Amino acid sequence: MAGTARRRPLGVVTRGTTNPNRLRRVDNWIAATCGDRLRAAADPLVVDLGYGATPVTAVELRARLAAAVRADVRVVGLEIDPVRVAAAEPAADPPWLTFARGGFELAGLRPALVRALNVLRQYDESEVADAWRTMTGGLAPGGLLVEGTCDELGRLGGWVLLDADGPRTLTLAAKLGTLGGPAELAERLPKALIHRNVPGEPVHEFLRALDDAWHAAAGYAPFGPRQRWLRAVESVKAAGWPIVDRPRRWRLGELTLPWPTIAPT
Ligand SMILES: C[S@@+](CC[C@H](N)C(=O)[O-])C[C@H]1O[C@@H](n2cnc3c(N)ncnc32)[C@H](O)[C@@H]1O
């Protein structure tokens, strides 16, 4: 725009790995958990930050939120790599889905929700706090940021929910049919926690407790992995870990903890 200096996008280009359906677990969780905020938002604008080499997960996010939350949701896919912005253009469906160049500053948008999945994974742990602050600083009042990591097929994942005051919760999610045990979740912790899976850190203590509970629940295996997971989550909750979500979410292979319980020391 004439007369206004455009800010350089904040961040760096990283690997663009993505896959169809990779983010379905986090998208379904967003619809269920953040849906009310989005329904109440004056402007239902959602940013998908760092959509990668193809825009497939941004296309899916728009479709899922339009079906489950509100039909007038608008998704803007922001990428720091201009080549990926140009490559995404054929998938645009304005005004519902558009693509633009941008970084952690969110290109000056004021979204009600930001999803940033598998973006910070390739940054240094020391860069996380600033990136979180920059992204939450760009949210609309009452806005939310979901930042996390998952594996290539979306079978294992972990994400942090943040608002303007900082991180609120950590959610871990697994496809129970292929889960060998909760220890596998350690590889897909969000960047803020992945290097903290060491003795003395709360996330390490929690994963160990959950893994022990899973092994102790081996007798439930004949009834299926869901029953075993439910039993394991009930056990860690009974042992004092303040799981905040309900069995309805546990049945999906999820659990959510308050951030202060799990935050790095
Ligand atoms: C591994 S891909 C993730 C794609 C997709 N979100 C997914 O989970 O499948 C990471 C993408 O984030 C982009 N990226 C990294 N830092 C960014 C930033 N600060 N702002 C916008 N995009 C960024 C990279 O260029 C890359 O395309």
Side-chain angles (χ1 to χ4, degrees), residues 131-163:
W132 278 359
R133 252 192 308 275
T134 307
M135 289 187 276
T136 54
L139 294 170
L144 297 169
L145 164 65
V146 179
E147 186 279 310
T149 306
C150 69
D151 67 345
E152 284 70 13
L153 299 179
R155 293 176 171 175
L156 293 168
W159 53 87
V160 183
L161 175 71
L162 302 97
D163 62 18

PDB file of all heavy atoms in Angstrom, residues 131-163:
ATOM      1  N   ALA A 131       8.263 -16.268  19.723  1.00  0.00           N
ATOM      2  CA  ALA A 131       7.303 -16.589  18.651  1.00  0.00           C
ATOM      3  C   ALA A 131       5.890 -16.640  19.225  1.00  0.00           C
ATOM      4  O   ALA A 131       4.950 -16.086  18.633  1.00  0.00           O
ATOM      5  CB  ALA A 131       7.671 -17.914  17.986  1.00  0.00           C
ATOM      6  N   TRP A 132       5.738 -17.264  20.372  1.00  0.00           N
ATOM      7  CA  TRP A 132       4.412 -17.315  21.022  1.00  0.00           C
ATOM      8  C   TRP A 132       3.910 -15.897  21.291  1.00  0.00           C
ATOM      9  O   TRP A 132       2.759 -15.580  21.008  1.00  0.00           O
ATOM     10  CB  TRP A 132       4.502 -18.062  22.359  1.00  0.00           C
ATOM     11  CG  TRP A 132       4.460 -19.559  22.265  1.00  0.00           C
ATOM     12  CD1 TRP A 132       4.330 -20.323  21.143  1.00  0.00           C
ATOM     13  CD2 TRP A 132       4.540 -20.469  23.386  1.00  0.00           C
ATOM     14  NE1 TRP A 132       4.324 -21.656  21.486  1.00  0.00           N
ATOM     15  CE2 TRP A 132       4.449 -21.772  22.841  1.00  0.00           C
ATOM     16  CE3 TRP A 132       4.688 -20.314  24.763  1.00  0.00           C
ATOM     17  CZ2 TRP A 132       4.503 -22.912  23.651  1.00  0.00           C
ATOM     18  CZ3 TRP A 132       4.729 -21.442  25.571  1.00  0.00           C
ATOM     19  CH2 TRP A 132       4.632 -22.726  25.012  1.00  0.00           C
ATOM     20  N   ARG A 133       4.806 -15.069  21.871  1.00  0.00           N
ATOM     21  CA  ARG A 133       4.396 -13.702  22.240  1.00  0.00           C
ATOM     22  C   ARG A 133       3.978 -12.907  21.004  1.00  0.00           C
ATOM     23  O   ARG A 133       2.995 -12.186  21.011  1.00  0.00           O
ATOM     24  CB  ARG A 133       5.544 -12.975  22.941  1.00  0.00           C
ATOM     25  CG  ARG A 133       5.300 -12.798  24.435  1.00  0.00           C
ATOM     26  CD  ARG A 133       6.300 -11.838  25.055  1.00  0.00           C
ATOM     27  NE  ARG A 133       7.677 -12.171  24.758  1.00  0.00           N
ATOM     28  CZ  ARG A 133       8.405 -13.046  25.462  1.00  0.00           C
ATOM     29  NH1 ARG A 133       7.867 -13.666  26.492  1.00  0.00           N
ATOM     30  NH2 ARG A 133       9.661 -13.294  25.140  1.00  0.00           N
ATOM     31  N   THR A 134       4.769 -13.065  19.922  1.00  0.00           N
ATOM     32  CA  THR A 134       4.444 -12.304  18.710  1.00  0.00           C
ATOM     33  C   THR A 134       3.094 -12.756  18.154  1.00  0.00           C
ATOM     34  O   THR A 134       2.259 -11.924  17.780  1.00  0.00           O
ATOM     35  CB  THR A 134       5.556 -12.493  17.655  1.00  0.00           C
ATOM     36  OG1 THR A 134       6.800 -12.167  18.268  1.00  0.00           O
ATOM     37  CG2 THR A 134       5.346 -11.618  16.441  1.00  0.00           C
ATOM     38  N   MET A 135       2.881 -14.068  18.103  1.00  0.00           N
ATOM     39  CA  MET A 135       1.614 -14.557  17.536  1.00  0.00           C
ATOM     40  C   MET A 135       0.430 -14.183  18.422  1.00  0.00           C
ATOM     41  O   MET A 135      -0.592 -13.706  17.917  1.00  0.00           O
ATOM     42  CB  MET A 135       1.671 -16.073  17.323  1.00  0.00           C
ATOM     43  CG  MET A 135       2.585 -16.479  16.180  1.00  0.00           C
ATOM     44  SD  MET A 135       2.490 -18.254  15.812  1.00  0.00           S
ATOM     45  CE  MET A 135       3.616 -18.936  17.010  1.00  0.00           C
ATOM     46  N   THR A 136       0.546 -14.364  19.729  1.00  0.00           N
ATOM     47  CA  THR A 136      -0.618 -14.043  20.580  1.00  0.00           C
ATOM     48  C   THR A 136      -0.853 -12.532  20.605  1.00  0.00           C
ATOM     49  O   THR A 136      -1.987 -12.080  20.748  1.00  0.00           O
ATOM     50  CB  THR A 136      -0.448 -14.581  22.019  1.00  0.00           C
ATOM     51  OG1 THR A 136       0.785 -14.101  22.549  1.00  0.00           O
ATOM     52  CG2 THR A 136      -0.467 -16.092  22.054  1.00  0.00           C
ATOM     53  N   GLY A 137       0.222 -11.749  20.412  1.00  0.00           N
ATOM     54  CA  GLY A 137       0.073 -10.293  20.359  1.00  0.00           C
ATOM     55  C   GLY A 137      -0.717  -9.838  19.140  1.00  0.00           C
ATOM     56  O   GLY A 137      -1.244  -8.733  19.120  1.00  0.00           O
ATOM     57  N   GLY A 138      -0.801 -10.686  18.128  1.00  0.00           N
ATOM     58  CA  GLY A 138      -1.537 -10.319  16.915  1.00  0.00           C
ATOM     59  C   GLY A 138      -2.981 -10.789  16.914  1.00  0.00           C
ATOM     60  O   GLY A 138      -3.730 -10.502  15.966  1.00  0.00           O
ATOM     61  N   LEU A 139      -3.396 -11.502  17.964  1.00  0.00           N
ATOM     62  CA  LEU A 139      -4.761 -12.046  17.967  1.00  0.00           C
ATOM     63  C   LEU A 139      -5.803 -10.954  18.197  1.00  0.00           C
ATOM     64  O   LEU A 139      -5.522  -9.944  18.862  1.00  0.00           O
ATOM     65  CB  LEU A 139      -4.902 -13.078  19.093  1.00  0.00           C
ATOM     66  CG  LEU A 139      -4.077 -14.363  18.955  1.00  0.00           C
ATOM     67  CD1 LEU A 139      -4.129 -15.164  20.270  1.00  0.00           C
ATOM     68  CD2 LEU A 139      -4.591 -15.211  17.788  1.00  0.00           C
ATOM     69  N   ALA A 140      -6.992 -11.199  17.705  1.00  0.00           N
ATOM     70  CA  ALA A 140      -8.141 -10.344  18.050  1.00  0.00           C
ATOM     71  C   ALA A 140      -8.428 -10.533  19.543  1.00  0.00           C
ATOM     72  O   ALA A 140      -8.032 -11.558  20.121  1.00  0.00           O
ATOM     73  CB  ALA A 140      -9.356 -10.763  17.226  1.00  0.00           C
ATOM     74  N   PRO A 141      -9.121  -9.586  20.174  1.00  0.00           N
ATOM     75  CA  PRO A 141      -9.475  -9.769  21.590  1.00  0.00           C
ATOM     76  C   PRO A 141     -10.179 -11.110  21.786  1.00  0.00           C
ATOM     77  O   PRO A 141     -11.076 -11.469  21.027  1.00  0.00           O
ATOM     78  CB  PRO A 141     -10.424  -8.592  21.863  1.00  0.00           C
ATOM     79  CG  PRO A 141     -10.030  -7.555  20.847  1.00  0.00           C
ATOM     80  CD  PRO A 141      -9.601  -8.308  19.623  1.00  0.00           C
ATOM     81  N   GLY A 142      -9.728 -11.847  22.799  1.00  0.00           N
ATOM     82  CA  GLY A 142     -10.320 -13.167  23.062  1.00  0.00           C
ATOM     83  C   GLY A 142      -9.803 -14.253  22.139  1.00  0.00           C
ATOM     84  O   GLY A 142     -10.286 -15.394  22.184  1.00  0.00           O
ATOM     85  N   GLY A 143      -8.814 -13.935  21.308  1.00  0.00           N
ATOM     86  CA  GLY A 143      -8.329 -14.895  20.312  1.00  0.00           C
ATOM     87  C   GLY A 143      -7.474 -16.001  20.915  1.00  0.00           C
ATOM     88  O   GLY A 143      -7.002 -15.902  22.049  1.00  0.00           O
ATOM     89  N   LEU A 144      -7.283 -17.053  20.131  1.00  0.00           N
ATOM     90  CA  LEU A 144      -6.567 -18.249  20.595  1.00  0.00           C
ATOM     91  C   LEU A 144      -5.505 -18.661  19.583  1.00  0.00           C
ATOM     92  O   LEU A 144      -5.685 -18.494  18.369  1.00  0.00           O
ATOM     93  CB  LEU A 144      -7.550 -19.407  20.768  1.00  0.00           C
ATOM     94  CG  LEU A 144      -8.659 -19.208  21.824  1.00  0.00           C
ATOM     95  CD1 LEU A 144      -9.707 -20.306  21.689  1.00  0.00           C
ATOM     96  CD2 LEU A 144      -8.063 -19.171  23.226  1.00  0.00           C
ATOM     97  N   LEU A 145      -4.435 -19.232  20.118  1.00  0.00           N
ATOM     98  CA  LEU A 145      -3.373 -19.812  19.286  1.00  0.00           C
ATOM     99  C   LEU A 145      -3.240 -21.288  19.642  1.00  0.00           C
ATOM    100  O   LEU A 145      -3.200 -21.642  20.831  1.00  0.00           O
ATOM    101  CB  LEU A 145      -2.039 -19.096  19.582  1.00  0.00           C
ATOM    102  CG  LEU A 145      -0.750 -19.789  19.115  1.00  0.00           C
ATOM    103  CD1 LEU A 145      -0.673 -19.886  17.592  1.00  0.00           C
ATOM    104  CD2 LEU A 145       0.490 -19.046  19.655  1.00  0.00           C
ATOM    105  N   VAL A 146      -3.177 -22.139  18.622  1.00  0.00           N
ATOM    106  CA  VAL A 146      -2.917 -23.564  18.836  1.00  0.00           C
ATOM    107  C   VAL A 146      -1.603 -23.871  18.137  1.00  0.00           C
ATOM    108  O   VAL A 146      -1.501 -23.744  16.913  1.00  0.00           O
ATOM    109  CB  VAL A 146      -4.067 -24.431  18.265  1.00  0.00           C
ATOM    110  CG1 VAL A 146      -3.770 -25.913  18.464  1.00  0.00           C
ATOM    111  CG2 VAL A 146      -5.385 -24.055  18.933  1.00  0.00           C
ATOM    112  N   GLU A 147      -0.590 -24.227  18.929  1.00  0.00           N
ATOM    113  CA  GLU A 147       0.766 -24.436  18.387  1.00  0.00           C
ATOM    114  C   GLU A 147       1.262 -25.822  18.796  1.00  0.00           C
ATOM    115  O   GLU A 147       1.213 -26.164  19.985  1.00  0.00           O
ATOM    116  CB  GLU A 147       1.698 -23.342  18.940  1.00  0.00           C
ATOM    117  CG  GLU A 147       3.084 -23.335  18.355  1.00  0.00           C
ATOM    118  CD  GLU A 147       4.041 -24.341  18.962  1.00  0.00           C
ATOM    119  OE1 GLU A 147       4.162 -24.403  20.192  1.00  0.00           O
ATOM    120  OE2 GLU A 147       4.661 -25.109  18.175  1.00  0.00           O
ATOM    121  N   GLY A 148       1.696 -26.599  17.831  1.00  0.00           N
ATOM    122  CA  GLY A 148       2.145 -27.935  18.211  1.00  0.00           C
ATOM    123  C   GLY A 148       2.803 -28.699  17.076  1.00  0.00           C
ATOM    124  O   GLY A 148       3.215 -28.129  16.055  1.00  0.00           O
ATOM    125  N   THR A 149       2.881 -29.998  17.288  1.00  0.00           N
ATOM    126  CA  THR A 149       3.646 -30.903  16.430  1.00  0.00           C
ATOM    127  C   THR A 149       2.865 -32.193  16.260  1.00  0.00           C
ATOM    128  O   THR A 149       2.125 -32.585  17.157  1.00  0.00           O
ATOM    129  CB  THR A 149       4.991 -31.235  17.133  1.00  0.00           C
ATOM    130  OG1 THR A 149       5.641 -30.029  17.461  1.00  0.00           O
ATOM    131  CG2 THR A 149       5.898 -32.062  16.261  1.00  0.00           C
ATOM    132  N   CYS A 150       3.070 -32.852  15.109  1.00  0.00           N
ATOM    133  CA  CYS A 150       2.518 -34.207  14.967  1.00  0.00           C
ATOM    134  C   CYS A 150       3.428 -35.006  14.045  1.00  0.00           C
ATOM    135  O   CYS A 150       4.361 -34.458  13.453  1.00  0.00           O
ATOM    136  CB  CYS A 150       1.075 -34.175  14.449  1.00  0.00           C
ATOM    137  SG  CYS A 150       0.926 -33.621  12.746  1.00  0.00           S
ATOM    138  N   ASP A 151       3.159 -36.298  13.906  1.00  0.00           N
ATOM    139  CA  ASP A 151       3.975 -37.093  12.990  1.00  0.00           C
ATOM    140  C   ASP A 151       3.435 -36.921  11.562  1.00  0.00           C
ATOM    141  O   ASP A 151       2.428 -36.253  11.338  1.00  0.00           O
ATOM    142  CB  ASP A 151       4.034 -38.562  13.427  1.00  0.00           C
ATOM    143  CG  ASP A 151       2.701 -39.259  13.306  1.00  0.00           C
ATOM    144  OD1 ASP A 151       1.671 -38.572  13.167  1.00  0.00           O
ATOM    145  OD2 ASP A 151       2.663 -40.499  13.333  1.00  0.00           O
ATOM    146  N   GLU A 152       4.109 -37.553  10.605  1.00  0.00           N
ATOM    147  CA  GLU A 152       3.785 -37.305   9.191  1.00  0.00           C
ATOM    148  C   GLU A 152       2.344 -37.684   8.856  1.00  0.00           C
ATOM    149  O   GLU A 152       1.712 -37.062   8.006  1.00  0.00           O
ATOM    150  CB  GLU A 152       4.745 -38.067   8.273  1.00  0.00           C
ATOM    151  CG  GLU A 152       6.137 -37.471   8.150  1.00  0.00           C
ATOM    152  CD  GLU A 152       6.974 -37.594   9.423  1.00  0.00           C
ATOM    153  OE1 GLU A 152       6.572 -38.361  10.331  1.00  0.00           O
ATOM    154  OE2 GLU A 152       8.008 -36.912   9.517  1.00  0.00           O
ATOM    155  N   LEU A 153       1.828 -38.732   9.517  1.00  0.00           N
ATOM    156  CA  LEU A 153       0.471 -39.184   9.192  1.00  0.00           C
ATOM    157  C   LEU A 153      -0.577 -38.701  10.198  1.00  0.00           C
ATOM    158  O   LEU A 153      -1.759 -39.045  10.074  1.00  0.00           O
ATOM    159  CB  LEU A 153       0.445 -40.718   9.113  1.00  0.00           C
ATOM    160  CG  LEU A 153       1.358 -41.320   8.043  1.00  0.00           C
ATOM    161  CD1 LEU A 153       1.279 -42.850   8.062  1.00  0.00           C
ATOM    162  CD2 LEU A 153       0.988 -40.797   6.650  1.00  0.00           C
ATOM    163  N   GLY A 154      -0.151 -37.961  11.183  1.00  0.00           N
ATOM    164  CA  GLY A 154      -1.109 -37.431  12.159  1.00  0.00           C
ATOM    165  C   GLY A 154      -1.594 -38.456  13.166  1.00  0.00           C
ATOM    166  O   GLY A 154      -2.674 -38.318  13.728  1.00  0.00           O
ATOM    167  N   ARG A 155      -0.776 -39.471  13.426  1.00  0.00           N
ATOM    168  CA  ARG A 155      -1.183 -40.489  14.401  1.00  0.00           C
ATOM    169  C   ARG A 155      -0.791 -40.134  15.826  1.00  0.00           C
ATOM    170  O   ARG A 155      -1.336 -40.680  16.778  1.00  0.00           O
ATOM    171  CB  ARG A 155      -0.555 -41.836  14.026  1.00  0.00           C
ATOM    172  CG  ARG A 155      -1.129 -42.378  12.736  1.00  0.00           C
ATOM    173  CD  ARG A 155      -0.446 -43.645  12.335  1.00  0.00           C
ATOM    174  NE  ARG A 155      -1.137 -44.254  11.216  1.00  0.00           N
ATOM    175  CZ  ARG A 155      -0.722 -45.329  10.592  1.00  0.00           C
ATOM    176  NH1 ARG A 155       0.395 -45.918  10.959  1.00  0.00           N
ATOM    177  NH2 ARG A 155      -1.415 -45.825   9.587  1.00  0.00           N
ATOM    178  N   LEU A 156       0.208 -39.279  15.963  1.00  0.00           N
ATOM    179  CA  LEU A 156       0.691 -38.850  17.277  1.00  0.00           C
ATOM    180  C   LEU A 156       0.846 -37.340  17.231  1.00  0.00           C
ATOM    181  O   LEU A 156       1.386 -36.817  16.247  1.00  0.00           O
ATOM    182  CB  LEU A 156       2.079 -39.431  17.555  1.00  0.00           C
ATOM    183  CG  LEU A 156       2.216 -40.927  17.732  1.00  0.00           C
ATOM    184  CD1 LEU A 156       3.690 -41.312  17.699  1.00  0.00           C
ATOM    185  CD2 LEU A 156       1.582 -41.375  19.045  1.00  0.00           C
ATOM    186  N   GLY A 157       0.395 -36.669  18.260  1.00  0.00           N
ATOM    187  CA  GLY A 157       0.552 -35.214  18.239  1.00  0.00           C
ATOM    188  C   GLY A 157       0.488 -34.608  19.624  1.00  0.00           C
ATOM    189  O   GLY A 157       0.055 -35.252  20.592  1.00  0.00           O
ATOM    190  N   GLY A 158       0.942 -33.373  19.711  1.00  0.00           N
ATOM    191  CA  GLY A 158       0.872 -32.623  20.956  1.00  0.00           C
ATOM    192  C   GLY A 158       0.765 -31.151  20.622  1.00  0.00           C
ATOM    193  O   GLY A 158       1.461 -30.682  19.716  1.00  0.00           O
ATOM    194  N   TRP A 159      -0.123 -30.445  21.301  1.00  0.00           N
ATOM    195  CA  TRP A 159      -0.262 -29.015  21.008  1.00  0.00           C
ATOM    196  C   TRP A 159      -0.603 -28.226  22.271  1.00  0.00           C
ATOM    197  O   TRP A 159      -1.188 -28.743  23.215  1.00  0.00           O
ATOM    198  CB  TRP A 159      -1.289 -28.751  19.907  1.00  0.00           C
ATOM    199  CG  TRP A 159      -2.631 -29.356  20.115  1.00  0.00           C
ATOM    200  CD1 TRP A 159      -3.675 -28.817  20.801  1.00  0.00           C
ATOM    201  CD2 TRP A 159      -3.090 -30.635  19.620  1.00  0.00           C
ATOM    202  NE1 TRP A 159      -4.760 -29.672  20.759  1.00  0.00           N
ATOM    203  CE2 TRP A 159      -4.429 -30.798  20.043  1.00  0.00           C
ATOM    204  CE3 TRP A 159      -2.516 -31.657  18.858  1.00  0.00           C
ATOM    205  CZ2 TRP A 159      -5.186 -31.929  19.745  1.00  0.00           C
ATOM    206  CZ3 TRP A 159      -3.270 -32.786  18.560  1.00  0.00           C
ATOM    207  CH2 TRP A 159      -4.579 -32.917  18.989  1.00  0.00           C
ATOM    208  N   VAL A 160      -0.192 -26.953  22.212  1.00  0.00           N
ATOM    209  CA  VAL A 160      -0.419 -26.032  23.314  1.00  0.00           C
ATOM    210  C   VAL A 160      -1.500 -25.050  22.877  1.00  0.00           C
ATOM    211  O   VAL A 160      -1.470 -24.560  21.741  1.00  0.00           O
ATOM    212  CB  VAL A 160       0.878 -25.264  23.649  1.00  0.00           C
ATOM    213  CG1 VAL A 160       0.667 -24.352  24.851  1.00  0.00           C
ATOM    214  CG2 VAL A 160       2.022 -26.234  23.921  1.00  0.00           C
ATOM    215  N   LEU A 161      -2.442 -24.784  23.777  1.00  0.00           N
ATOM    216  CA  LEU A 161      -3.440 -23.740  23.536  1.00  0.00           C
ATOM    217  C   LEU A 161      -2.997 -22.502  24.299  1.00  0.00           C
ATOM    218  O   LEU A 161      -2.689 -22.586  25.498  1.00  0.00           O
ATOM    219  CB  LEU A 161      -4.812 -24.191  24.045  1.00  0.00           C
ATOM    220  CG  LEU A 161      -5.918 -23.133  23.948  1.00  0.00           C
ATOM    221  CD1 LEU A 161      -6.328 -22.894  22.503  1.00  0.00           C
ATOM    222  CD2 LEU A 161      -7.145 -23.544  24.779  1.00  0.00           C
ATOM    223  N   LEU A 162      -2.935 -21.367  23.584  1.00  0.00           N
ATOM    224  CA  LEU A 162      -2.523 -20.111  24.226  1.00  0.00           C
ATOM    225  C   LEU A 162      -3.561 -19.036  23.963  1.00  0.00           C
ATOM    226  O   LEU A 162      -4.269 -19.069  22.945  1.00  0.00           O
ATOM    227  CB  LEU A 162      -1.193 -19.615  23.653  1.00  0.00           C
ATOM    228  CG  LEU A 162       0.016 -20.534  23.757  1.00  0.00           C
ATOM    229  CD1 LEU A 162       0.214 -21.309  22.456  1.00  0.00           C
ATOM    230  CD2 LEU A 162       1.284 -19.745  24.061  1.00  0.00           C
ATOM    231  N   ASP A 163      -3.602 -18.069  24.889  1.00  0.00           N
ATOM    232  CA  ASP A 163      -4.357 -16.846  24.630  1.00  0.00           C
ATOM    233  C   ASP A 163      -3.439 -15.670  24.933  1.00  0.00           C
ATOM    234  O   ASP A 163      -2.217 -15.865  25.117  1.00  0.00           O
ATOM    235  CB  ASP A 163      -5.687 -16.820  25.417  1.00  0.00           C
ATOM    236  CG  ASP A 163      -5.473 -16.834  26.922  1.00  0.00           C
ATOM    237  OD1 ASP A 163      -4.358 -16.521  27.381  1.00  0.00           O
ATOM    238  OD2 ASP A 163      -6.443 -17.145  27.640  1.00  0.00           O
TER     239      ASP A 163
END
